[in-house]
Amino acid sequence: MIARAYLGVILTVLIWGGNVVALKVLLDFFTRSQTIGLRLGAASLVLLGLTLLRSGWPKWSVRDWLWVVGAGLLGTTLFQNFSVIGVDRSPAGISGLANAVVPILVVLLGSLVGQRPNRLQVLGVLVSLSGMLWLLAQTLEPGSTLNLLGLGFLGLSSLTWAGYTLANRPLVARLGLLPSVTFATLVGTLPLLIPVLPTLGQLSAPPLIWGLAALSGLLSNVFAYLAWGNGIQVLGAARTSIWQNLSPLVAFGLAVWLLGERFTPGELSAGALTLMGVLVANWPQRAGQSGLNDAG
């Protein structure tokens, strides 16, 4: 069980890193709305099928459904919009950092609702925020590939996902991982998919690109969600979240290799400082100390 959980977490990190590059490729063939709709439409159908086969239609209270709707709008509708716009306006190698800084934002948001961070988390937050500010400053440097608006949308995507993470923890504990993820994703996908449906018949792309769109949605929004959730349950949040630091490294490596992206020394240093802060904040704590993602 432990070995399978580790395998799922490692594959998830590879998927999330590679998905940034996949989005850059898809955006060359589809609009932002079409890219989101195609990916999440496929993911939602598969998740719904899995849930209905396993447990049937949930018998939740009105209050539970309202929580699920709110989580879906935050963690799917807003997050996907912000994320795709940010990736479209930013290099893939930098876009991968958006996923990595989510734990930093979870600490900051958690402190607002009474979840007190430990010293390592505070240090990690300060280091990571310094890196983010340095990264923003790089947009003013001549020859920089960074775009201030793109970084802003990546920041918003990280913020919405951090908020979803905090809100979703008690929801998963009460309603179960698969049903809560399924219906939150489905509810959040509908506002993104419905406007795109009339345009699907007009789309023209190679079969490989259609396959990439479906694979991107299924791997990053079905397998990865469930494998990551299982990792947290089996391994614990602290040991699972430490692997999240590899995701931007995978994205960076693939962006340089497959897309030919190049970065200035300042951009690389700022990204490395940001990632170092995340690593410090995520470092597993001794028994009795709270981990970054242990709350809820």
Side-chain angles (χ1 to χ4, degrees):
M1 179 180 289
I2 292 179
R4 186 167 58 184
Y6 268 121
L7 178 61
V9 168
I10 293 170
L11 289 175
T12 295
V13 167
L14 296 176
I15 289 168
W16 281 343
N19 190 56
V20 177
V21 176
L23 285 176
K24 295 292 285 188
V25 174
L26 293 173
L27 287 167
D28 287 336
F29 293 89
F30 307 123
T31 66
R32 295 167 186 162
S33 299
Q34 291 164 347
T35 299
I36 296 171
L38 289 172
R39 293 174 60 254
L40 291 183
S44 297
L45 288 176
V46 172
L47 282 171
L48 182 61
L50 289 174
T51 300
L52 294 180
L53 283 174
R54 173 176 288 190
S55 55
W57 193 268
K59 298 177 181 179
W60 295 336
S61 66
V62 173
R63 180 175 176 272
D64 286 336
W65 276 109
L66 289 176
W67 270 100
V68 169
V69 169
L73 294 176
L74 183 65
T76 300
T77 309
L78 291 178
F79 167 73
Q80 290 291 337
N81 265 309
F82 292 154
S83 179
V84 171
I85 294 173
V87 170
D88 192 24
R89 292 176 173 269
S90 306
I94 297 297
S95 299
L97 280 175
N99 181 57
V101 301
V102 167
I104 295 296
L105 297 175
V106 169
V107 171
L108 292 174
L109 292 178
S111 65
L112 297 178
V113 294
Q115 298 177 11
R116 186 176 180 181
N118 59 45
R119 291 179 179 178
L120 265 185
Q121 291 171 355
V122 172
L123 176 61
V125 166
L126 293 176
V127 172
S128 200
L129 287 178
S130 299
M132 292 182 218
L133 291 174
W134 190 2
L135 203 59
L136 288 174
Q138 292 302 302
T139 62
L140 304 176
E141 294 293 324
S144 175
T145 58
L146 302 183
N147 176 281
L148 186 60
L149 190 59
L151 291 179
F153 275 106
L154 289 175
L156 287 173
S157 74
S158 299
L159 187 61
T160 52
W161 189 257
Y164 168 78
T165 299
L166 286 172
N168 202 43
R169 285 175 187 163
L171 205 60
V172 168
R174 190 166 70 252
L175 306 180
L177 176 63
L178 180 58
S180 60
V181 168
T182 293
F183 287 96
T185 302
L186 183 61
V187 168
T189 297
L190 290 177
L192 302 172
L193 181 61
I194 292 175
V196 174
L197 289 177
T199 70
L200 294 184
Q202 306 165 8
L203 295 181
S204 177
L208 186 62
I209 298 302
W210 286 100
L212 180 63
L215 194 63
S216 171
L218 294 177
L219 289 180
S220 63
N221 296 102
V222 178
F223 175 84
Y225 276 25
L226 299 179
W228 192 260
N230 180 65
I232 289 175
Q233 290 178 340
V234 174
L235 305 173
R239 280 196 291 172
T240 301
S241 61
I242 197 74
W243 289 92
Q244 197 166 6
N245 298 281
L246 293 179
S247 178
L249 299 180
V250 173
F252 179 82
L254 291 175
V256 171
W257 177 36
L258 298 177
L259 303 180
E261 292 184 352
R262 296 293 181 267
F263 302 93
T264 66
E267 293 167 353
L268 293 175
S269 300
L273 187 62
T274 302
L275 202 55
M276 185 185 301
V278 178
L279 181 63
V280 170
N282 266 319
W283 201 257
Q285 304 295 296
R286 296 190 303 272
Q289 290 181 298
S290 61
L292 182 64
N293 292 320
D294 290 340

